[in-house]
């Protein structure tokens, strides 16, 4: 790390880290011949690399005292090993939602289908099904999400899912501002984060059309229709009868950016 002082009123620190964590508690599978579930053991390793920066500035302009401080951090993690040294090993998390841990990926990554807009006609949906197939239990219809054949093998299968971020932010930051003049003082505190995603269960966030207690959100007013091809949402469907449903297929369409900047505290004093 580096600590510094400049011009007698600006001080700060910069710290870089590269930390390897070993003996992580993971699920360890046993040979199928034993007919036993996986057991917990201290196996696997992960590397975290990142940087942390903090700055503090103090000055006085006439009768006004001014202080500004801030901090910023960046973190990247990578799974190095999940036991037995197998570079292709992975396991699906038991306490997450469509998340998978795999060597070379970020811890608790979302593993979902990639989407590319909507089918704008039934002919388009039928042609897609004839070319790529349909791994879901519901037929593709006009207004449904169109999924991407990621591996390019000509078939839409579970192997076309991809890793699409995690709920852990890459960047976090904070800012504090203080100023005083005579008997008045003002303090503001901000914090925020970016680079994190959350996979929503659309039923819980946007509601559904499945009875009097479903309470669909107003966002469904901009659902796909024959006259609204530039919609924000796929066609309205009842229950889970559409392959667009988040409970039929978890996809990046339901993956939301959770970046935020929040005014945590504001204080005015006299």
């Amino acid at each position: 790390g580096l600590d510094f002082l400049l011009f007698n009123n600006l001080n700060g620190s910069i710290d870089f880290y590269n930390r390897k964590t070993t003996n992580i508690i993971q699920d360890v599978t046993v040979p199928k011949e034993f007919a036993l579930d996986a057991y917990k053991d201290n196996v696997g390793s992960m590397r975290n690399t990142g940087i942390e920066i903090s700055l503090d500035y103090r000055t006085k302009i006439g009768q006004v005292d001014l202080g500004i401080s801030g901090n910023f951090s960046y973190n990247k993690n990578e799974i190095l090993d999940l036991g037995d040294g197998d570079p292709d090993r992975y396991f699906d998390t038991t306490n997450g939602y469509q998340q998978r841990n795999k060597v070379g990926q970020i811890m608790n990554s979302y593993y979902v289908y990639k989407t590319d807009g909507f089918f704008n006609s039934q002919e388009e949906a039928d042609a897609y099904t004839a070319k790529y197939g349909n791994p879901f239990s519901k037929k593709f219809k006009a207004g449904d999400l169109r999924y991407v054949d990621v591996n390019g093998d000509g078939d839409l299968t579970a192997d076309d899912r991809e890793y699409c971020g995690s709920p852990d932010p890459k960047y976090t930051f904070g800012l504090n501002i203080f100023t005083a003049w005579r008997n008045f003082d003002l303090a503001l505190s901000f914090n925020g984060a970016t680079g994190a995603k959350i996979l929503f269960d659309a039923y819980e966030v946007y509601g559904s059309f499945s009875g009097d207690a479903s309470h669909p959100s107003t966002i469904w007013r901009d659902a796909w229709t024959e006259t609204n091809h530039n919609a924000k949402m796929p066609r309205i469907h009842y229950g889970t009868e559409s392959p667009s449903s988040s409970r039929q297929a978890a996809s990046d369409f339901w993956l939301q950016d959770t970046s935020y900047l929040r005014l945590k505290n504001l204080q005015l004093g006299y």
Side-chain angles (χ1 to χ4, degrees), residues 51 53 71-75 169-174 191-194 260:
I51 188 171
I53 301 173
N71 60 79
F72 168 85
S73 66
Y74 164 77
N75 180 74
K170 291 182 179 179
Y171 307 94
T172 58
F173 44 86
N191 69 345
T194 187
Y260 71 92

Side-chain angles (χ1 to χ4, degrees), residues 6 18 27 38 42 52 99 117 156 170 184 189 193-194 200 226 231 238 253 255 258 269:
L6 298 174
N18 186 345
D27 290 319
N42 293 89
E52 297 176 344
Q99 291 168 267
L156 183 66
K170 291 182 179 179
F184 295 92
S189 178
T194 187
F200 285 155
E226 291 288 349
Y238 185 83
F253 182 84
L255 200 61
T258 57

Side-chain angles (χ1 to χ4, degrees), residues 30-45:
V30 298
K32 294 181 179 179
E33 293 78 5
F34 290 96
L36 297 173
D37 293 332
Y39 65 93
K40 300 288 185 180
D41 199 0
N42 293 89
V43 297
S45 61

Side-chain angles (χ1 to χ4, degrees), residues 214-227:
S214 57
H215 303 299
S217 165
T218 55
I219 195 172
W220 287 104
R221 292 177 178 175
D222 195 11
W224 186 95
T225 65
E226 291 288 349
T227 58

Side-chain angles (χ1 to χ4, degrees), residues 256-270:
Q256 304 295 314
D257 184 352
T258 57
S259 300
Y260 71 92
L261 174 63
R262 177 178 62 178
L263 175 59
K264 187 176 181 180
N265 185 59
L266 187 154
Q267 179 177 312
L268 178 64
Y270 175 77

Side-chain angles (χ1 to χ4, degrees), residues 174-195:
L175 177 66
N176 299 297
I177 302 173
F178 174 81
T179 184
W181 175 74
R182 294 187 177 179
N183 294 328
F184 295 92
D185 61 79
L186 175 67
L188 300 96
S189 178
F190 298 87
N191 69 345
T194 187

